[in-house]
Each structure stands twice: as C-alpha cells, then as structure tokens.
C-alpha cells in the first residue's frame, strides 16, 4: 500500500533518529541527514514536515517485510497512532497495513 506518513520533528525524536536537542537546529539539515540515511524521503520546508521513506515495494521504512509488523510500534509516529481514527491496529501491526 503506497501511503505517505507525514512526521513532525518530535515523531523523529520518539523514533530515536533525532536527538531532542537537534530540534533546535535548522530542520533542513536534519532532513538532509535523514534523507542520506534513508529514513526520510521528503521535507516540506514551509511546514517543517518530514515524509517517512518507503521501500520500492511501497512499504514503510519501518515495516518488517516478513512479519508485516511495525519495527518501531511502541515509538511509532502520531499519524500512525491516529490511523485509523476509530479502530486502532492490532498491537504490533502497522496502522496502514494492507488488508489481505
Ligand atoms: S505503524 Fe510503523 S510500519 Fe506502519 S507506517 Fe507507522 S511507522 Fe511505518
């Protein structure tokens, strides 16, 4: 499933790829570093929003291809916590997981 996960800086801190003190830095520098690391695929300068990288399959960077579970479930971004709005995913599973 090809979806975009839009993250704020604090999501990146929670995931553990950005130190909370780094949030004081120019977010463009953070974005560049995370793009090189393959974590972020796009950065919206105007709103300081990061788009989480996807693999060629369209899977999220943090989705385990074999188990289809989120590898950062306890630290997942807010957008994943809120999706879907009314019924959350089974614990450990991706909120955006395509139904079989
Ligand atoms: S729940 Fe995990 S695997 Fe799914 S989109 Fe969010 S971070 Fe990626």
């Amino acid at each position: 499933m090809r979806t975009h996960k839009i993250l704020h800086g604090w999501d990146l801190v929670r995931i553990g790829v950005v130190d909370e003190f780094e949030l004081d830095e120019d977010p463009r520098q953070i974005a560049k570093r995370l793009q090189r690391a393959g974590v972020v695929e796009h950065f919206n300068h105007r709103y300081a929003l990061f788009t989480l990288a996807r693999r060629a399959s369209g899977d999220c960077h943090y989705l385990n291809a074999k188990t289809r579970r989120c590898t950062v479930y306890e630290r997942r971004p807010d957008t994943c916590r809120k999706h879907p709005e009314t019924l959350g995913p089974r614990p450990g599973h991706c909120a955006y997981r395509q139904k079989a």
Side-chain angles (χ1 to χ4, degrees):
M1 175 183 274
R2 291 188 178 271
T3 51
H4 280 75
K5 267 62 76 179
I6 309 297
L7 280 61
H8 292 93
W10 61 80
D11 287 309
L12 298 170
V13 172
R14 187 195 294 133
I15 289 173
V17 292
V18 169
D19 188 288
E20 64 182 286
F21 299 107
E22 287 180 282
L23 289 183
D24 294 334
E25 292 178 14
D26 184 342
R28 289 172 295 190
Q29 295 305 316
I30 296 173
K32 275 185 189 171
R33 178 172 67 78
L34 294 180
Q35 283 174 325
R36 281 195 297 269
V39 173
V40 159
E41 76 179 32
H42 179 72
F43 177 65
N44 181 309
H45 296 244
R46 184 170 182 188
Y47 298 106
L49 293 173
F50 302 82
T51 301
L52 205 53
R54 294 165 296 177
R55 299 197 183 96
S57 63
D59 284 349
C60 171
H61 176 74
Y62 290 110
L63 187 70
N64 183 306
K66 282 189 178 172
T67 66
R68 310 304 293 169
R69 288 178 174 240
C70 175
T71 57
V72 292
Y73 187 77
E74 298 300 328
R75 296 175 283 129
R76 69 196 185 284
D78 282 347
T79 185
C80 307
R81 292 167 189 266
K82 292 174 183 165
H83 180 87
E85 295 289 340
T86 53
L87 183 66
R90 286 181 293 154
H93 289 267
C94 176
Y96 294 92
R97 191 172 68 106
Q98 193 169 22
K99 289 182 180 149

